[in-house]
Amino acid sequence: MHTTHTASALLLVLSFSHAVWAKDAAVTAAPALSARQQVLMATVVGSAAHPRILQVRLDELHPTQPDIGYDQVYYKLGRYAAEEKRLADIAKPKKFADLCEANGQVDVLPGTANVASATLAAPPASYRCKAAVGSRPDDMKSVVIGPRGSVYLTDGHHTFSTFWDADGGRNHQLKVWVKVSDNFSALSVAAFWARMREENKVWLKNGRNQAITPQQLPSAIGLKSLGDDPYRSLVYFTREIGYEPPDQATEFLEFYWAGWLRQQAGIDLTRTDRGDVASYLATIKTASAAMASLKATDIVSGGRTAQALGWTGVFRQGALDDLVTPTGKLSYAIAYKKALAK
């Protein structure tokens, strides 16, 4: 009889221990959703004509690509820094103009933001944009709501990384407005990434054109988290010289061009001095001419035709020359890189 009681007691203890362990394991595997996560998961998606807009912090954004073109971000940071030194002469500081545009507010109003030391996260009290938030949704960046309310950025990695690194890195909690293209929060993690691949909303190749997994994507935006793809920078500088992004551009359009440029004879960035204006400009010219020389129906990469990726068939020398004026994009980018090296 004593043995029976002992065995029963032991089973009761083991059963209780298993229940406690199971509960602890469940808590560890799936922490309770925060109020913010619940709000994000409940987000209703609008239409293309009337998209749902949402305010998010920069540090809530998860990248859907492993790399950006650093030189594109350097151009913006270089321009911001140069304008900061002569704000009295700048009616519309570029960084605040960019913020207004990203929020769908067209542009900054002249004379409202040219205050020394003002940051994007702490703008001057006089700061105003030309229109209300969301007035021009085509200018806004897009996100997808994922499992547990995570916010995945599918467009705007360069713009928001620039904001992240501007002002000495004091904008990580800057609030911006974005368009919600999809809400896939009800899916499991595996099903979510499968759907993202199907919808072409994730880019799973690194700056060396090697395949990666979703788990290898960075957890945050910004230069310290995202890697550098020099060919992505090259495509940025060829814009309006060798091609023009179409109004309804495919996601990750520039990466398709970058993949093509990697394969072209005579376009080798390992032999280009990207800190030297003449060397970099010569490569940009070669790349732009190669892009313009394609036929509309030529396949660039990923099954996309040149026409679908913004091909014009025209090489614009004037736009190339503009890159190296005192206020040109390449001039700002190289000046900023040289300042970083000091």
Side-chain angles (χ1 to χ4, degrees), residues 69-84 93-99 101-102 120 141 158-163 165-167 223 236-237 239 328-334 336:
Y70 278 15
D71 287 343
Q72 179 175 339
V73 175
Y74 289 156
Y75 148 59
K76 288 291 184 71
L77 293 177
R79 182 168 177 178
Y80 294 174
E83 289 186 351
E84 188 70 27
K94 180 64 174 170
K95 71 180 180 183
F96 287 107
D98 286 346
L99 180 60
E101 181 179 1
L120 292 169
K141 311 308 178 186
H158 289 80
T159 295
F160 290 154
S161 288
T162 300
F163 292 170
D165 283 288
D167 302 320
L223 293 171
Y236 175 69
F237 291 123
R239 187 181 299 180
K329 292 178 179 179
L330 191 60
S331 299
Y332 278 125
I334 290 178
Y336 187 80

Side-chain angles (χ1 to χ4, degrees), residues 86-141:
R86 51 188 184 89
L87 271 181
D89 303 324
I90 305 294
K92 299 192 297 182
K94 180 64 174 170
K95 71 180 180 183
F96 287 107
D98 286 346
L99 180 60
C100 287
E101 181 179 1
N103 286 332
Q105 296 179 276
V106 186
D107 198 357
V108 67
L109 285 175
T112 66
N114 52 344
V115 175
S117 301
T119 67
L120 292 169
S126 56
Y127 165 62
R128 297 288 185 277
C129 298
K130 284 188 175 181
V133 168
S135 295
R136 190 175 289 177
D138 287 349
D139 292 339
M140 300 177 72
K141 311 308 178 186

Side-chain angles (χ1 to χ4, degrees), residues 63-65 154 193 196-197 199-204 214 217 251-252:
T64 53
Q65 63 191 55
T154 57
W193 287 116
M196 291 289 280
R197 287 191 184 97
E199 300 282 345
N200 193 38
K201 293 182 182 295
V202 60
W203 186 263
L204 295 175
L217 287 168
E251 301 281 7
F252 309 110

Side-chain angles (χ1 to χ4, degrees), residues 10-262:
L10 181 59
L11 285 172
L12 183 62
V13 170
L14 288 174
S15 177
F16 176 77
S17 298
H18 177 75
V20 171
W21 175 85
K23 181 180 178 182
D24 289 344
V27 171
T28 301
L33 293 168
S34 68
R36 174 63 171 167
Q37 287 174 303
Q38 293 178 53
V39 167
L40 290 168
M41 292 177 70
T43 301
V44 177
V45 178
S47 64
H50 302 284
R52 172 65 185 272
I53 63 173
L54 180 71
Q55 191 175 44
V56 297
R57 297 192 318 268
L58 292 184
D59 61 6
E60 288 183 297
L61 298 173
H62 295 274
T64 53
Q65 63 191 55
D67 301 293
I68 54 176
Y70 278 15
D71 287 343
Q72 179 175 339
V73 175
Y74 289 156
Y75 148 59
K76 288 291 184 71
L77 293 177
R79 182 168 177 178
Y80 294 174
E83 289 186 351
E84 188 70 27
K85 296 176 182 178
R86 51 188 184 89
L87 271 181
D89 303 324
I90 305 294
K92 299 192 297 182
K94 180 64 174 170
K95 71 180 180 183
F96 287 107
D98 286 346
L99 180 60
C100 287
E101 181 179 1
N103 286 332
Q105 296 179 276
V106 186
D107 198 357
V108 67
L109 285 175
T112 66
N114 52 344
V115 175
S117 301
T119 67
L120 292 169
S126 56
Y127 165 62
R128 297 288 185 277
C129 298
K130 284 188 175 181
V133 168
S135 295
R136 190 175 289 177
D138 287 349
D139 292 339
M140 300 177 72
K141 311 308 178 186
S142 302
V143 301
V144 171
I145 308 300
R148 299 185 63 79
S150 294
V151 184
Y152 289 89
L153 182 65
T154 57
D155 172 50
H157 291 78
H158 289 80
T159 295
F160 290 154
S161 288
T162 300
F163 292 170
W164 179 279
D165 283 288
D167 302 320
R170 288 176 286 170
N171 299 321
H172 295 181
Q173 294 190 329
L174 169 68
K175 293 180 178 180
V176 294
W177 289 89
V178 293
K179 295 183 296 188
V180 182
S181 67
D182 299 278
N183 186 337
F184 298 149
S185 61
L187 299 177
S188 68
V189 172
F192 169 74
W193 287 116
R195 184 69 179 273
M196 291 289 280
R197 287 191 184 97
E198 291 171 8
E199 300 282 345
N200 193 38
K201 293 182 182 295
V202 60
W203 186 263
L204 295 175
K205 288 185 179 180
N206 63 21
R208 296 179 298 282
N209 209 34
Q210 299 168 328
I212 65 166
T213 66
Q215 291 69 36
Q216 291 175 291
L217 287 168
S219 60
I221 60 174
L223 293 171
K224 289 184 179 178
S225 296
L226 291 159
D228 181 27
D229 183 343
Y231 283 90
R232 175 61 181 77
S233 291
L234 178 60
V235 175
Y236 175 69
F237 291 123
T238 65
R239 187 181 299 180
E240 297 180 0
I241 304 170
Y243 87 106
E244 289 185 9
D247 290 337
Q248 299 299 321
T250 182
E251 301 281 7
F252 309 110
L253 175 146
E254 294 88 351
F255 284 109
Y256 291 112
W257 279 119
W260 182 78
L261 288 173
R262 276 188 175 87

